[in-house]
Amino acid sequence: MEDATSLPASTHRHQTPCVPPSSRAPCSSLAPSKPTPEPKRTPAVPSTPPSSLTPASQQAKRSRSPTTSLHLPAPPKSPRTKPRSQSAILLLTDVFGLNLLQNKLLADSFARAGYLTLVPDLFAGSPAPSDINDPASANFSIPAFLAAHQPPVTDPIIASAISHLRGSLNISSIAAAGYCFGGRYALRVVNPSPGGADVAFAAHPSLLTDEEISGVEKPVSVAAADRDELLTAARRAEVEGLLLGAGGRYQVGVYGGTPHGFAVRANYSVESERFGKEGAFLQAVGWFDEFLVGRG
């Protein structure tokens, strides 16, 4: 297996990590290309159904950085895409990791929007089963899995990915985009410790502590589902109050008719979920454009 640091910048890097509940998709990352001037830019929306792979996903190779497995696609060379030079997105997946196709497609979408996107393997190649309700997953324990992936284990993996972006790929500005399990860590990396990112977006985040929310020091955007059993309306109000108290720039968007996981594993036959997934993606890209790149 090749070392990620030895691969060309345009090489897609990937290994199977975490994947969201049974119907969502994986991640990808991208390598920078020269900016192409364009009068008007429309971000790519991750509307590709799970049955169809983007070229980046089809061509992805498995590789490792010194300590982290990752998936890394490059922005396409197209006048429709405006590469964000020296900026990158660190995509932190749900518990289904890189094994989930939707996670990779989501990463490819960020790449098409012009951002180099890196998706680290947060689970050492052993994410949660993509369908935890399948009889074959009867021995899988969610509490045990989460207990094995607490901050002392996960923070160093993310720190290694950030180091790879800044040191090996010469990225100066990093946006953290976290989903469910990864949403917690998107906020952690805009805290003083462990830190490492410049702006954050979290979709249907879970397991957030009050200290992690009130400690944010960089711009934070949250996309929430109105039918989320892990981030209830009452808890959502608390999160918003804590972000307000933190005194920084923040945004909380609530998408009606959506369940937990909608920003990754939306059911496209349900209009509210389709709209919610596309809206959350555009929310993230708009937030990163504003606070990572600037409108210039």
Side-chain angles (χ1 to χ4, degrees):
M1 182 174 290
E2 298 173 289
D3 187 310
T5 58
S6 69
L7 296 174
S10 61
T11 299
H12 302 90
R13 304 168 173 79
H14 136 171
Q15 180 162 3
T16 44
C18 121
V19 177
S22 54
S23 59
R24 317 297 200 219
C27 70
S28 82
S29 59
L30 49 102
S33 57
K34 295 182 179 179
T36 302
E38 66 173 357
K40 185 177 181 181
R41 170 178 163 274
T42 302
V45 175
S47 57
T48 309
S51 60
S52 166
L53 284 175
T54 63
S57 292
Q58 291 173 322
Q59 299 169 8
K61 295 182 179 180
R62 296 188 179 214
S63 63
R64 290 181 182 273
S65 69
T67 58
T68 307
S69 300
L70 49 86
H71 181 70
L72 185 65
K77 294 181 179 180
S78 166
R80 293 177 178 272
T81 299
K82 186 177 182 181
R84 299 328 203 177
S85 178
Q86 302 305 307
S87 299
I89 292 174
L90 177 67
L91 198 159
L92 305 173
T93 67
D94 53 25
V95 297
F96 304 99
L98 286 174
N99 284 352
L100 189 69
L101 173 60
Q102 290 93 322
N103 282 329
K104 293 190 181 97
L105 293 177
L106 183 58
D108 288 347
S109 292
F110 279 125
R112 288 198 300 272
Y115 283 99
L116 175 110
T117 303
L118 185 151
V119 188
D121 176 359
L122 301 178
F123 310 104
S126 299
S130 58
D131 186 355
I132 57 178
N133 296 315
D134 189 304
S137 304
N139 294 326
F140 176 75
S141 168
I142 294 178
F145 180 86
L146 295 176
H149 297 285
Q150 291 293 312
V153 173
T154 306
D155 284 343
I157 296 172
I158 295 172
S160 176
I162 291 174
S163 177
H164 183 66
L165 284 171
R166 295 197 187 279
S168 301
L169 301 181
N170 298 314
I171 296 300
S172 58
S173 300
I174 297 175
Y179 295 80
C180 187
F181 175 90
R184 176 186 187 183
Y185 292 90
L187 266 66
R188 286 181 64 81
V189 295
V190 290
N191 268 252
S193 178
D198 303 290
V199 60
F201 166 81
H204 36 80
S206 60
L207 306 176
L208 280 168
T209 67
D210 288 359
E211 293 74 20
E212 290 166 341
I213 302 165
S214 60
V216 299
E217 294 187 334
K218 307 289 178 61
V220 172
S221 178
V222 177
D226 72 337
R227 295 187 281 109
D228 191 339
E229 67 280 5
L230 299 180
L231 186 66
T232 63
R235 180 55 176 164
R236 191 169 66 235
E238 293 175 352
V239 169
E240 188 169 353
L242 290 166
L243 288 173
L244 175 63
R249 298 296 299 273
Y250 77 93
Q251 173 188 56
V252 177
V254 181
Y255 293 85
T258 59
H260 180 78
F262 76 94
V264 178
R265 295 161 283 116
N267 181 346
Y268 268 71
S269 66
V270 178
E271 176 62 20
S272 58
E273 292 193 35
R274 180 200 63 77
F275 178 84
K277 179 176 181 178
E278 294 177 358
F281 176 79
L282 293 173
Q283 177 181 333
V285 171
W287 194 254
F288 298 157
D289 283 352
E290 181 67 27
F291 293 103
L292 193 67
V293 179
R295 292 293 179 179

